[in-house]
Amino acid sequence: MKAITVEPGKPGTARLEDVPEPDSREGSVLVEAIAVGVCGTDVEIVEGKYGWAPPGKTRLVLGHESLGRVVDPGPSGGLKKGDFVVGIVRRPDPVPCPNCAVGEWDMCRNGQYTERGIKEIHGFMSERWRIEPEYVMKVDPSLGILGVLLEPTTVIAKALEQVVAVGQRAFWQPKTVLVTGAGPIGLLAAFGASLSGTEVHVLDRVEAGLKPELVRALGATYHSGSVLDLGFEPDVIVECTGVGSVIADSIQKIGAGGVVCLTGVGGGGVSGYAVADVAAKAVLKNNVLVGSVNANKRHWYKASQALARADRTWLGRLITRREKPENFKQALERGAEDIKVVIQFAEV
Ligand SMILES: [Zn+2]
């Protein structure tokens, strides 16, 4: 079968190639790939900056935002042929650490977790893949190809849960949520926040086009420019850019008792940034800065419930391009108008 593989750590090694059928040790459920979403992590892996091949192998099958159709459910009673499914990405570390021991692999303490398509387990960019039944999430078949958005939605399900958990340390009635960045994660954050009934604001660099349209279609308010120029102090900021100056401005702008949830991974930042000044503000306003990554099964369940309720037309506009596997290189290049690009392996 065809698969998109890469030699982690070596830039320019990604290729579409013939590989053996998936190993039965990878799980008793056999799935035919429909589509796989592309994200910044995939680009980093292809650029040789991140990623690990399975032990004893030199190449890794790429892809962690999956959608497929069950070909053979194996002995699992809960699945049947034709079910639309998405594969959970992370596996608990083998030690296990206390959090992995209780199913919170997203909170892994020792970093020895593994991840499909990223860290030591093959991903989903192959015509067929296998998976353990306990790591399969069924998706509403009426979502069609939109089920490929489940994985990024889980990241938001966890982040919003973290915000609520932190907020509830005191009396907590958030009125305004600001999302910084209107990429796929930011837009899904705005969607998730809009379900809670709070006033949602989204800020991004672009001034016109699809991003502002999608924000307004949610009933949210769109802003371009600086966080510092906003005419209000948000109760919650979900930071999805990973850009140093946006993070710095968010910490300045958050309201008293507010929570800044960081979901973006970037580098560098603002030089001459006075850390104690920032800390003093956080102290005097009881602010919390919380980082959030990955998702456990509870978040996968919550995300699948949220997606099933979402407006299909709105969700469909998030997928701005579908590429064939042989054009994976184009899929990895983000165009100015791209939000989510998917590689489509089979018709829905
Ligand atoms: Zn762990």
mmCIF file of all heavy atoms in Angstrom, residues 149-198:
data_model
loop_
_atom_site.group_PDB
_atom_site.id
_atom_site.type_symbol
_atom_site.label_atom_id
_atom_site.label_comp_id
_atom_site.label_asym_id
_atom_site.label_seq_id
_atom_site.Cartn_x
_atom_site.Cartn_y
_atom_site.Cartn_z
ATOM 1 N N LEU A 149 -11.643 16.856 11.376
ATOM 2 C CA LEU A 149 -11.392 17.989 12.285
ATOM 3 C C LEU A 149 -11.467 17.583 13.756
ATOM 4 O O LEU A 149 -11.276 18.407 14.643
ATOM 5 C CB LEU A 149 -12.401 19.111 12.007
ATOM 6 C CG LEU A 149 -12.299 19.742 10.610
ATOM 7 C CD1 LEU A 149 -13.501 20.651 10.356
ATOM 8 C CD2 LEU A 149 -11.003 20.528 10.460
ATOM 9 N N LEU A 150 -11.725 16.300 14.012
ATOM 10 C CA LEU A 150 -11.876 15.893 15.416
ATOM 11 C C LEU A 150 -10.589 16.077 16.226
ATOM 12 O O LEU A 150 -10.635 16.608 17.333
ATOM 13 C CB LEU A 150 -12.347 14.423 15.514
ATOM 14 C CG LEU A 150 -12.547 13.917 16.938
ATOM 15 C CD1 LEU A 150 -13.571 14.754 17.703
ATOM 16 C CD2 LEU A 150 -12.963 12.444 16.949
ATOM 17 N N GLU A 151 -9.458 15.664 15.678
ATOM 18 C CA GLU A 151 -8.217 15.750 16.467
ATOM 19 C C GLU A 151 -7.915 17.182 16.909
ATOM 20 O O GLU A 151 -7.714 17.430 18.099
ATOM 21 C CB GLU A 151 -7.039 15.119 15.716
ATOM 22 C CG GLU A 151 -5.826 14.840 16.610
ATOM 23 C CD GLU A 151 -4.908 16.011 16.853
ATOM 24 O OE1 GLU A 151 -4.951 17.000 16.078
ATOM 25 O OE2 GLU A 151 -4.153 15.974 17.830
ATOM 26 N N PRO A 152 -7.912 18.177 15.980
ATOM 27 C CA PRO A 152 -7.679 19.543 16.477
ATOM 28 C C PRO A 152 -8.758 20.015 17.460
ATOM 29 O O PRO A 152 -8.466 20.811 18.356
ATOM 30 C CB PRO A 152 -7.658 20.409 15.206
ATOM 31 C CG PRO A 152 -8.092 19.534 14.079
ATOM 32 C CD PRO A 152 -7.928 18.115 14.507
ATOM 33 N N THR A 153 -9.977 19.512 17.326
ATOM 34 C CA THR A 153 -11.031 19.908 18.268
ATOM 35 C C THR A 153 -10.753 19.368 19.670
ATOM 36 O O THR A 153 -11.105 20.000 20.665
ATOM 37 C CB THR A 153 -12.404 19.426 17.755
ATOM 38 O OG1 THR A 153 -12.580 19.870 16.411
ATOM 39 C CG2 THR A 153 -13.556 19.978 18.596
ATOM 40 N N THR A 154 -10.087 18.211 19.765
ATOM 41 C CA THR A 154 -9.785 17.651 21.094
ATOM 42 C C THR A 154 -8.817 18.541 21.871
ATOM 43 O O THR A 154 -8.895 18.647 23.089
ATOM 44 C CB THR A 154 -9.170 16.232 21.002
ATOM 45 O OG1 THR A 154 -7.868 16.289 20.404
ATOM 46 C CG2 THR A 154 -10.053 15.281 20.237
ATOM 47 N N VAL A 155 -7.901 19.179 21.131
ATOM 48 C CA VAL A 155 -6.926 20.083 21.762
ATOM 49 C C VAL A 155 -7.664 21.229 22.444
ATOM 50 O O VAL A 155 -7.313 21.651 23.555
ATOM 51 C CB VAL A 155 -5.946 20.601 20.679
ATOM 52 C CG1 VAL A 155 -5.049 21.701 21.217
ATOM 53 C CG2 VAL A 155 -5.115 19.442 20.118
ATOM 54 N N ILE A 156 -8.707 21.710 21.776
ATOM 55 C CA ILE A 156 -9.520 22.805 22.315
ATOM 56 C C ILE A 156 -10.415 22.317 23.455
ATOM 57 O O ILE A 156 -10.596 23.010 24.454
ATOM 58 C CB ILE A 156 -10.348 23.405 21.160
ATOM 59 C CG1 ILE A 156 -9.420 24.234 20.271
ATOM 60 C CG2 ILE A 156 -11.509 24.234 21.662
ATOM 61 C CD1 ILE A 156 -8.560 25.219 21.033
ATOM 62 N N ALA A 157 -10.966 21.101 23.309
ATOM 63 C CA ALA A 157 -11.807 20.562 24.391
ATOM 64 C C ALA A 157 -11.003 20.519 25.690
ATOM 65 O O ALA A 157 -11.493 20.879 26.758
ATOM 66 C CB ALA A 157 -12.328 19.179 24.019
ATOM 67 N N LYS A 158 -9.731 20.103 25.578
ATOM 68 C CA LYS A 158 -8.904 20.062 26.781
ATOM 69 C C LYS A 158 -8.591 21.475 27.280
ATOM 70 O O LYS A 158 -8.706 21.763 28.477
ATOM 71 C CB LYS A 158 -7.593 19.324 26.542
ATOM 72 C CG LYS A 158 -6.731 19.406 27.796
ATOM 73 C CD LYS A 158 -5.369 18.837 27.673
ATOM 74 C CE LYS A 158 -4.568 19.160 28.936
ATOM 75 N NZ LYS A 158 -3.225 18.635 28.897
ATOM 76 N N ALA A 159 -8.198 22.363 26.369
ATOM 77 C CA ALA A 159 -7.805 23.718 26.780
ATOM 78 C C ALA A 159 -8.960 24.415 27.505
ATOM 79 O O ALA A 159 -8.762 25.024 28.559
ATOM 80 C CB ALA A 159 -7.370 24.529 25.557
ATOM 81 N N LEU A 160 -10.170 24.294 26.967
ATOM 82 C CA LEU A 160 -11.315 24.963 27.604
ATOM 83 C C LEU A 160 -11.651 24.318 28.943
ATOM 84 O O LEU A 160 -12.065 25.001 29.886
ATOM 85 C CB LEU A 160 -12.524 24.962 26.660
ATOM 86 C CG LEU A 160 -12.331 25.784 25.369
ATOM 87 C CD1 LEU A 160 -13.546 25.666 24.466
ATOM 88 C CD2 LEU A 160 -12.041 27.260 25.679
ATOM 89 N N GLU A 161 -11.435 23.018 29.039
ATOM 90 C CA GLU A 161 -11.646 22.348 30.327
ATOM 91 C C GLU A 161 -10.642 22.853 31.367
ATOM 92 O O GLU A 161 -10.986 23.056 32.539
ATOM 93 C CB GLU A 161 -11.495 20.830 30.138
ATOM 94 C CG GLU A 161 -12.069 20.022 31.278
ATOM 95 C CD GLU A 161 -11.810 18.533 31.100
ATOM 96 O OE1 GLU A 161 -10.734 18.060 31.506
ATOM 97 O OE2 GLU A 161 -12.676 17.855 30.552
ATOM 98 N N GLN A 162 -9.400 23.076 30.918
ATOM 99 C CA GLN A 162 -8.369 23.610 31.824
ATOM 100 C C GLN A 162 -8.758 25.011 32.312
ATOM 101 O O GLN A 162 -8.582 25.329 33.482
ATOM 102 C CB GLN A 162 -7.024 23.686 31.083
ATOM 103 C CG GLN A 162 -6.408 22.338 30.790
ATOM 104 C CD GLN A 162 -5.861 21.697 32.043
ATOM 105 O OE1 GLN A 162 -5.061 22.291 32.759
ATOM 106 N NE2 GLN A 162 -6.299 20.498 32.327
ATOM 107 N N VAL A 163 -9.275 25.830 31.405
ATOM 108 C CA VAL A 163 -9.678 27.197 31.772
ATOM 109 C C VAL A 163 -10.761 27.143 32.854
ATOM 110 O O VAL A 163 -10.687 27.850 33.857
ATOM 111 C CB VAL A 163 -10.188 27.960 30.525
ATOM 112 C CG1 VAL A 163 -10.888 29.255 30.933
ATOM 113 C CG2 VAL A 163 -9.033 28.252 29.567
ATOM 114 N N VAL A 164 -11.740 26.276 32.665
ATOM 115 C CA VAL A 164 -12.832 26.162 33.642
ATOM 116 C C VAL A 164 -12.282 25.651 34.978
ATOM 117 O O VAL A 164 -12.603 26.173 36.047
ATOM 118 C CB VAL A 164 -13.951 25.246 33.104
ATOM 119 C CG1 VAL A 164 -14.979 24.959 34.193
ATOM 120 C CG2 VAL A 164 -14.620 25.889 31.893
ATOM 121 N N ALA A 165 -11.413 24.636 34.903
ATOM 122 C CA ALA A 165 -10.845 24.058 36.136
ATOM 123 C C ALA A 165 -10.090 25.122 36.923
ATOM 124 O O ALA A 165 -10.224 25.228 38.146
ATOM 125 C CB ALA A 165 -9.920 22.890 35.788
ATOM 126 N N VAL A 166 -9.315 25.937 36.238
ATOM 127 C CA VAL A 166 -8.550 26.998 36.914
ATOM 128 C C VAL A 166 -9.503 28.083 37.413
ATOM 129 O O VAL A 166 -9.401 28.539 38.552
ATOM 130 C CB VAL A 166 -7.499 27.594 35.955
ATOM 131 C CG1 VAL A 166 -6.872 28.836 36.562
ATOM 132 C CG2 VAL A 166 -6.420 26.574 35.619
ATOM 133 N N GLY A 167 -10.450 28.476 36.578
ATOM 134 C CA GLY A 167 -11.375 29.547 36.942
ATOM 135 C C GLY A 167 -12.157 29.228 38.197
ATOM 136 O O GLY A 167 -12.438 30.112 39.011
ATOM 137 N N GLN A 168 -12.477 27.967 38.380
ATOM 138 C CA GLN A 168 -13.325 27.586 39.508
ATOM 139 C C GLN A 168 -12.615 27.580 40.855
ATOM 140 O O GLN A 168 -13.188 27.197 41.860
ATOM 141 C CB GLN A 168 -13.997 26.234 39.224
ATOM 142 C CG GLN A 168 -15.147 26.432 38.240
ATOM 143 C CD GLN A 168 -15.817 25.158 37.821
ATOM 144 O OE1 GLN A 168 -15.255 24.080 37.992
ATOM 145 N NE2 GLN A 168 -17.001 25.259 37.254
ATOM 146 N N ARG A 169 -11.353 28.050 40.862
ATOM 147 C CA ARG A 169 -10.684 28.200 42.174
ATOM 148 C C ARG A 169 -11.348 29.312 42.968
ATOM 149 O O ARG A 169 -11.123 29.455 44.168
ATOM 150 C CB ARG A 169 -9.192 28.509 41.948
ATOM 151 C CG ARG A 169 -8.940 29.965 41.568
ATOM 152 C CD ARG A 169 -7.767 30.157 40.648
ATOM 153 N NE ARG A 169 -8.058 31.231 39.740
ATOM 154 C CZ ARG A 169 -7.343 32.366 39.693
ATOM 155 N NH1 ARG A 169 -6.267 32.517 40.441
ATOM 156 N NH2 ARG A 169 -7.688 33.317 38.862
ATOM 157 N N ALA A 170 -12.149 30.172 42.292
ATOM 158 C CA ALA A 170 -12.838 31.280 42.968
ATOM 159 C C ALA A 170 -14.210 31.437 42.309
ATOM 160 O O ALA A 170 -14.527 30.698 41.384
ATOM 161 C CB ALA A 170 -12.025 32.567 42.820
ATOM 162 N N PHE A 171 -14.992 32.408 42.761
ATOM 163 C CA PHE A 171 -16.262 32.663 42.071
ATOM 164 C C PHE A 171 -15.948 32.987 40.615
ATOM 165 O O PHE A 171 -15.079 33.790 40.320
ATOM 166 C CB PHE A 171 -16.999 33.836 42.728
ATOM 167 C CG PHE A 171 -18.295 34.148 42.035
ATOM 168 C CD1 PHE A 171 -19.399 33.330 42.223
ATOM 169 C CD2 PHE A 171 -18.393 35.233 41.171
ATOM 170 C CE1 PHE A 171 -20.594 33.603 41.565
ATOM 171 C CE2 PHE A 171 -19.572 35.506 40.509
ATOM 172 C CZ PHE A 171 -20.680 34.684 40.705
ATOM 173 N N TRP A 172 -16.682 32.391 39.671
ATOM 174 C CA TRP A 172 -16.244 32.410 38.265
ATOM 175 C C TRP A 172 -17.440 32.505 37.345
ATOM 176 O O TRP A 172 -18.234 31.572 37.240
ATOM 177 C CB TRP A 172 -15.474 31.111 38.013
ATOM 178 C CG TRP A 172 -14.989 30.869 36.622
ATOM 179 C CD1 TRP A 172 -15.379 29.848 35.795
ATOM 180 C CD2 TRP A 172 -13.990 31.585 35.900
ATOM 181 N NE1 TRP A 172 -14.689 29.912 34.623
ATOM 182 C CE2 TRP A 172 -13.831 30.971 34.653
ATOM 183 C CE3 TRP A 172 -13.205 32.718 36.188
ATOM 184 C CZ2 TRP A 172 -12.924 31.428 33.691
ATOM 185 C CZ3 TRP A 172 -12.311 33.169 35.233
ATOM 186 C CH2 TRP A 172 -12.174 32.524 34.017
ATOM 187 N N GLN A 173 -17.597 33.673 36.750
ATOM 188 C CA GLN A 173 -18.671 33.879 35.790
ATOM 189 C C GLN A 173 -18.105 34.649 34.594
ATOM 190 O O GLN A 173 -18.349 35.841 34.453
ATOM 191 C CB GLN A 173 -19.802 34.696 36.437
ATOM 192 C CG GLN A 173 -21.107 33.958 36.498
ATOM 193 C CD GLN A 173 -22.165 34.737 37.267
ATOM 194 O OE1 GLN A 173 -22.123 35.963 37.408
ATOM 195 N NE2 GLN A 173 -23.144 34.008 37.759
ATOM 196 N N PRO A 174 -17.292 33.980 33.766
ATOM 197 C CA PRO A 174 -16.629 34.712 32.673
ATOM 198 C C PRO A 174 -17.638 35.248 31.666
ATOM 199 O O PRO A 174 -18.575 34.554 31.289
ATOM 200 C CB PRO A 174 -15.723 33.658 32.040
ATOM 201 C CG PRO A 174 -16.349 32.347 32.402
ATOM 202 C CD PRO A 174 -16.999 32.546 33.734
ATOM 203 N N LYS A 175 -17.426 36.506 31.256
ATOM 204 C CA LYS A 175 -18.339 37.139 30.295
ATOM 205 C C LYS A 175 -17.710 37.221 28.897
ATOM 206 O O LYS A 175 -18.412 37.198 27.904
ATOM 207 C CB LYS A 175 -18.670 38.569 30.767
ATOM 208 C CG LYS A 175 -19.369 38.638 32.119
ATOM 209 C CD LYS A 175 -20.831 38.981 31.930
ATOM 210 C CE LYS A 175 -21.597 39.231 33.207
ATOM 211 N NZ LYS A 175 -21.310 38.355 34.321
ATOM 212 N N THR A 176 -16.377 37.392 28.874
ATOM 213 C CA THR A 176 -15.720 37.592 27.580
ATOM 214 C C THR A 176 -14.535 36.642 27.412
ATOM 215 O O THR A 176 -13.728 36.464 28.310
ATOM 216 C CB THR A 176 -15.190 39.042 27.456
ATOM 217 O OG1 THR A 176 -14.441 39.343 28.632
ATOM 218 C CG2 THR A 176 -16.316 40.035 27.290
ATOM 219 N N VAL A 177 -14.461 36.036 26.226
ATOM 220 C CA VAL A 177 -13.341 35.163 25.865
ATOM 221 C C VAL A 177 -12.672 35.755 24.629
ATOM 222 O O VAL A 177 -13.355 36.061 23.643
ATOM 223 C CB VAL A 177 -13.824 33.730 25.545
ATOM 224 C CG1 VAL A 177 -12.657 32.857 25.073
ATOM 225 C CG2 VAL A 177 -14.509 33.097 26.742
ATOM 226 N N LEU A 178 -11.368 35.935 24.708
ATOM 227 C CA LEU A 178 -10.608 36.364 23.534
ATOM 228 C C LEU A 178 -9.775 35.188 23.035
ATOM 229 O O LEU A 178 -9.089 34.535 23.821
ATOM 230 C CB LEU A 178 -9.663 37.529 23.890
ATOM 231 C CG LEU A 178 -8.657 37.900 22.783
ATOM 232 C CD1 LEU A 178 -9.350 38.525 21.578
ATOM 233 C CD2 LEU A 178 -7.570 38.832 23.322
ATOM 234 N N VAL A 179 -9.854 34.926 21.738
ATOM 235 C CA VAL A 179 -8.997 33.924 21.115
ATOM 236 C C VAL A 179 -8.000 34.680 20.253
ATOM 237 O O VAL A 179 -8.400 35.505 19.420
ATOM 238 C CB VAL A 179 -9.829 32.961 20.234
ATOM 239 C CG1 VAL A 179 -8.912 31.983 19.514
ATOM 240 C CG2 VAL A 179 -10.866 32.217 21.077
ATOM 241 N N THR A 180 -6.705 34.430 20.456
ATOM 242 C CA THR A 180 -5.703 35.075 19.602
ATOM 243 C C THR A 180 -5.260 34.071 18.544
ATOM 244 O O THR A 180 -4.858 32.949 18.858
ATOM 245 C CB THR A 180 -4.493 35.559 20.427
ATOM 246 O OG1 THR A 180 -4.023 34.475 21.233
ATOM 247 C CG2 THR A 180 -4.868 36.719 21.329
ATOM 248 N N GLY A 181 -5.361 34.480 17.286
ATOM 249 C CA GLY A 181 -5.016 33.610 16.151
ATOM 250 C C GLY A 181 -6.265 32.975 15.571
ATOM 251 O O GLY A 181 -7.051 32.371 16.297
ATOM 252 N N ALA A 182 -6.464 33.143 14.264
ATOM 253 C CA ALA A 182 -7.652 32.586 13.606
ATOM 254 C C ALA A 182 -7.264 31.482 12.625
ATOM 255 O O ALA A 182 -7.819 31.365 11.540
ATOM 256 C CB ALA A 182 -8.454 33.686 12.917
ATOM 257 N N GLY A 183 -6.290 30.671 13.026
ATOM 258 C CA GLY A 183 -5.989 29.444 12.279
ATOM 259 C C GLY A 183 -7.002 28.379 12.685
ATOM 260 O O GLY A 183 -8.004 28.688 13.347
ATOM 261 N N PRO A 184 -6.775 27.114 12.294
ATOM 262 C CA PRO A 184 -7.749 26.073 12.629
ATOM 263 C C PRO A 184 -7.996 25.929 14.130
ATOM 264 O O PRO A 184 -9.146 25.827 14.567
ATOM 265 C CB PRO A 184 -7.132 24.784 12.062
ATOM 266 C CG PRO A 184 -5.847 25.150 11.423
ATOM 267 C CD PRO A 184 -5.677 26.624 11.456
ATOM 268 N N ILE A 185 -6.931 25.992 14.941
ATOM 269 C CA ILE A 185 -7.102 25.843 16.389
ATOM 270 C C ILE A 185 -7.851 27.049 16.962
ATOM 271 O O ILE A 185 -8.778 26.896 17.765
ATOM 272 C CB ILE A 185 -5.730 25.651 17.090
ATOM 273 C CG1 ILE A 185 -5.094 24.317 16.670
ATOM 274 C CG2 ILE A 185 -5.849 25.747 18.600
ATOM 275 C CD1 ILE A 185 -5.752 23.087 17.263
ATOM 276 N N GLY A 186 -7.477 28.246 16.514
ATOM 277 C CA GLY A 186 -8.147 29.448 17.003
ATOM 278 C C GLY A 186 -9.628 29.458 16.641
ATOM 279 O O GLY A 186 -10.480 29.778 17.476
ATOM 280 N N LEU A 187 -9.935 29.096 15.409
ATOM 281 C CA LEU A 187 -11.344 29.097 14.988
ATOM 282 C C LEU A 187 -12.129 28.021 15.725
ATOM 283 O O LEU A 187 -13.280 28.240 16.121
ATOM 284 C CB LEU A 187 -11.438 28.906 13.471
ATOM 285 C CG LEU A 187 -10.992 30.145 12.659
ATOM 286 C CD1 LEU A 187 -10.782 29.786 11.188
ATOM 287 C CD2 LEU A 187 -12.000 31.287 12.802
ATOM 288 N N LEU A 188 -11.510 26.865 15.952
ATOM 289 C CA LEU A 188 -12.206 25.818 16.719
ATOM 290 C C LEU A 188 -12.356 26.237 18.185
ATOM 291 O O LEU A 188 -13.354 25.901 18.829
ATOM 292 C CB LEU A 188 -11.474 24.479 16.598
ATOM 293 C CG LEU A 188 -11.614 23.803 15.222
ATOM 294 C CD1 LEU A 188 -10.627 22.645 15.079
ATOM 295 C CD2 LEU A 188 -13.045 23.308 14.984
ATOM 296 N N ALA A 189 -11.387 27.003 18.697
ATOM 297 C CA ALA A 189 -11.509 27.537 20.063
ATOM 298 C C ALA A 189 -12.693 28.499 20.135
ATOM 299 O O ALA A 189 -13.465 28.478 21.098
ATOM 300 C CB ALA A 189 -10.215 28.234 20.474
ATOM 301 N N ALA A 190 -12.817 29.343 19.113
ATOM 302 C CA ALA A 190 -13.940 30.287 19.081
ATOM 303 C C ALA A 190 -15.261 29.525 19.009
ATOM 304 O O ALA A 190 -16.227 29.870 19.699
ATOM 305 C CB ALA A 190 -13.793 31.228 17.886
ATOM 306 N N PHE A 191 -15.287 28.487 18.201
ATOM 307 C CA PHE A 191 -16.486 27.638 18.113
ATOM 308 C C PHE A 191 -16.798 27.022 19.481
ATOM 309 O O PHE A 191 -17.935 27.098 19.969
ATOM 310 C CB PHE A 191 -16.274 26.554 17.039
ATOM 311 C CG PHE A 191 -17.177 25.370 17.178
ATOM 312 C CD1 PHE A 191 -18.546 25.485 16.988
ATOM 313 C CD2 PHE A 191 -16.657 24.122 17.510
ATOM 314 C CE1 PHE A 191 -19.382 24.383 17.130
ATOM 315 C CE2 PHE A 191 -17.481 23.011 17.650
ATOM 316 C CZ PHE A 191 -18.850 23.148 17.478
ATOM 317 N N GLY A 192 -15.777 26.443 20.119
ATOM 318 C CA GLY A 192 -15.979 25.795 21.427
ATOM 319 C C GLY A 192 -16.440 26.788 22.477
ATOM 320 O O GLY A 192 -17.365 26.517 23.254
ATOM 321 N N ALA A 193 -15.820 27.978 22.481
ATOM 322 C CA ALA A 193 -16.192 28.999 23.466
ATOM 323 C C ALA A 193 -17.611 29.498 23.206
ATOM 324 O O ALA A 193 -18.345 29.807 24.142
ATOM 325 C CB ALA A 193 -15.193 30.158 23.423
ATOM 326 N N SER A 194 -18.003 29.552 21.938
ATOM 327 C CA SER A 194 -19.344 30.054 21.615
ATOM 328 C C SER A 194 -20.430 29.111 22.144
ATOM 329 O O SER A 194 -21.542 29.548 22.430
ATOM 330 C CB SER A 194 -19.497 30.257 20.103
ATOM 331 O OG SER A 194 -19.560 29.016 19.433
ATOM 332 N N LEU A 195 -20.092 27.831 22.307
ATOM 333 C CA LEU A 195 -21.075 26.872 22.836
ATOM 334 C C LEU A 195 -21.411 27.153 24.301
ATOM 335 O O LEU A 195 -22.472 26.766 24.781
ATOM 336 C CB LEU A 195 -20.552 25.432 22.725
ATOM 337 C CG LEU A 195 -20.308 24.874 21.319
ATOM 338 C CD1 LEU A 195 -19.748 23.465 21.402
ATOM 339 C CD2 LEU A 195 -21.586 24.883 20.490
ATOM 340 N N SER A 196 -20.483 27.836 25.003
ATOM 341 C CA SER A 196 -20.701 28.090 26.429
ATOM 342 C C SER A 196 -21.545 29.339 26.658
ATOM 343 O O SER A 196 -21.874 29.655 27.801
ATOM 344 C CB SER A 196 -19.354 28.232 27.140
ATOM 345 O OG SER A 196 -18.707 29.410 26.695
ATOM 346 N N GLY A 197 -21.858 30.062 25.592
ATOM 347 C CA GLY A 197 -22.725 31.223 25.732
ATOM 348 C C GLY A 197 -22.022 32.506 26.118
ATOM 349 O O GLY A 197 -22.670 33.532 26.311
ATOM 350 N N THR A 198 -20.695 32.485 26.230
ATOM 351 C CA THR A 198 -19.976 33.724 26.551
ATOM 352 C C THR A 198 -19.776 34.549 25.281
ATOM 353 O O THR A 198 -19.903 34.042 24.168
ATOM 354 C CB THR A 198 -18.585 33.428 27.162
ATOM 355 O OG1 THR A 198 -17.955 32.444 26.356
ATOM 356 C CG2 THR A 198 -18.663 32.953 28.580
#
